[in-house]
Amino acid sequence: HDNYTGTKTLALFLHSLHSGTTFASMGGSCESCHVVMPGTGEWALWDTVKYQILSGIISADASAGEFSFNQTTTIPRDDLFVMDWLYEANDYERYYAIQSGDIEGDPALFDSWEIVVTDLDGVSTTYLLTDLIANVPSKTALITMECIVNQPGAGLINNFEVTGLPIQDVLSYAGIGDEAKAVYVQNFVEGGLYPTAINLDWAEDHDILLGYEIDGQRLRVQDGFPVMLCSGGLHAGNFKKQVWTLTVSKDQAEMDHADTSATANGLVMNQGVFYTQEGQIIPLGEPYTFEGYAFGYGHEIASMEFSLDGGVTWASFATDGTSDQQWVYWYYTFTPQEPGAYVLYVRTISTDGLESIKPTTIMVNAK
């Protein structure tokens, strides 16, 4: 994206692939992906400017549309997206189980799973997960998990119902006092590389759960059976699978928010359109409803904005009272009055003034 000033690794990779004789022998050229902009002569990526160039697109007043939203729409357990980064031994073991079709965890493993809590003096105590469940009150919450590499309009996002143990209550049960300011959560790897840091004041305002059920069923292997750290308001990298150790610190931690992560590329406010297909034919003169999500990685969403004239004007709809740990699931209905193509632009604004770096766009044809 033009707003990103770092190394455009993917662009360099694709350009290197397309610079050789193999791509040329297939009839490929710069024009396969790019277009020369009329009037300026500058090259642009076709997919980012096509609606500025294509003729015949009808402009309409987006403020005439109807808007509603909720934060309770969920993705069922068996449809949740999963990304398994193969870094450590248990990642490969989990991947092998999934490829073998063994996605429901072994009940014996659930019953024997241990969690180790290490206090400020470095003293470690081991607890059975089942004992913690028996002694620490569980909580059921709705939490959104969005991948840090989810691009504008993409679908690497879930909102799901999880039952688990509030992490601050687990620490309290283990005798950890108020002197502890942060906890480092590690998965089932000796000397693992990537602990997740959670400040305990964040956990007071958000649901940070040791989740052991989704939709009332135990986790699947790909979700991190038997227990996964579910981190309300944070990106999916903070959802640690197969939680093993909790180590507290007297100092605040540098949490990996989306807007501080080196991999976030400034993509904090995001939105997408579900179910409608690009170029889909919709009935002329009848109401048509788009639906989708918006999420802000710990930033509350103040409004959703829609345009039907190429972004010249925007209709803003408030989303008052939303939580920053669940997506905003929105519906926008408009009635096409003329036959032809319409392009819906969607963007998101947070309560602290952040805006989507790129609107989501989708074209439909009324007929």
Side-chain angles (χ1 to χ4, degrees), residues 304-317:
M304 300 290 304
E305 297 191 342
F306 300 85
S307 175
L308 285 165
D309 60 6
V312 176
T313 62
W314 292 87
S316 181
F317 298 90

Side-chain angles (χ1 to χ4, degrees), residues 20-332:
T21 57
T22 301
F23 186 64
S25 69
M26 299 166 61
S29 67
C30 293
E31 288 86 351
S32 299
C33 305
H34 298 269
V35 63
V36 177
M37 292 295 291
T40 67
E42 296 180 352
W43 287 96
L45 191 63
W46 166 253
D47 202 48
T48 65
V49 298
K50 58 188 177 184
Y51 297 131
Q52 302 172 33
I53 298 173
L54 291 172
S55 59
I57 296 175
I58 299 169
S59 290
D61 179 9
S63 66
E66 297 180 358
F67 173 80
S68 64
F69 74 94
N70 68 68
Q71 294 197 281
T72 57
T73 297
T74 59
I75 302 295
R77 167 186 179 267
D78 293 339
D79 293 336
L80 299 178
F81 92 84
V82 174
M83 294 187 71
D84 267 314
W85 304 102
L86 302 180
Y87 288 129
E88 299 170 322
N90 68 323
D91 295 332
Y92 288 91
E93 292 168 1
R94 189 168 54 248
Y95 180 78
Y96 176 78
I98 295 168
Q99 296 305 307
S100 302
D102 184 18
I103 65 171
E104 300 297 340
D106 181 358
L109 180 61
F110 189 95
D111 292 339
S112 63
W113 191 264
E114 295 176 335
I115 291 179
V116 180
V117 180
T118 302
D119 65 19
L120 292 174
D121 295 322
V123 177
S124 297
T125 306
T126 301
Y127 300 88
L128 281 172
L129 173 61
T130 51
D131 287 344
L132 290 175
I133 293 172
N135 289 283
V136 177
S138 294
K139 180 177 183 179
T140 298
L142 297 180
I143 295 180
T144 292
M145 176 175 68
E146 183 180 9
C147 186
I148 190 68
V149 299
N150 198 35
Q151 293 302 298
L156 295 178
I157 186 169
N158 300 316
N159 193 52
F160 58 95
E161 181 185 88
V162 59
T163 298
L165 308 173
I167 198 166
Q168 65 271 37
D169 293 345
V170 172
L171 296 177
S172 178
Y173 176 76
I176 304 298
D178 293 340
E179 319 84 58
K181 302 302 180 186
V183 58
Y184 291 83
V185 183
Q186 185 54 276
N187 57 1
F188 192 61
V189 177
E190 189 75 43
L193 299 176
Y194 302 106
T196 293
I198 300 291
N199 286 324
L200 295 179
D201 57 358
W202 180 272
E204 290 298 325
D205 298 327
H206 298 81
D207 289 316
I208 308 296
L209 305 180
L210 300 184
Y212 58 87
E213 289 182 353
I214 293 175
D215 291 344
Q217 301 179 66
R218 288 183 179 174
L219 307 184
R220 303 171 301 172
V221 169
Q222 54 264 52
D223 300 320
F225 177 88
V227 59
M228 170 177 66
L229 177 68
C230 298
S231 302
L234 300 174
H235 66 77
N238 295 285
F239 286 63
K240 184 69 69 178
K241 299 179 180 182
Q242 294 185 293
V243 172
W244 180 35
T245 65
L246 308 177
T247 303
V248 296
S249 170
K250 61 181 177 59
D251 299 314
Q252 291 271 319
E254 183 176 346
M255 291 171 54
D256 189 11
H257 298 277
D259 45 351
T260 58
S261 172
T263 60
N265 300 345
L267 179 60
V268 178
M269 309 307 298
N270 197 6
Q271 65 287 307
V273 178
F274 287 151
Y275 307 121
T276 301
Q277 303 298 310
E278 180 73 15
Q280 181 173 321
I281 296 174
I282 64 173
L284 176 64
E286 297 181 18
Y288 180 80
T289 299
F290 298 90
E291 62 183 279
Y293 74 86
F295 189 59
Y297 293 116
H299 296 269
E300 293 179 8
I301 293 174
S303 62
M304 300 290 304
E305 297 191 342
F306 300 85
S307 175
L308 285 165
D309 60 6
V312 176
T313 62
W314 292 87
S316 181
F317 298 90
T319 55
D320 297 335
T322 57
S323 165
D324 65 357
Q325 71 172 22
Q326 293 110 25
W327 64 12
V328 167
Y329 198 90
W330 55 264
Y331 300 88
Y332 176 78

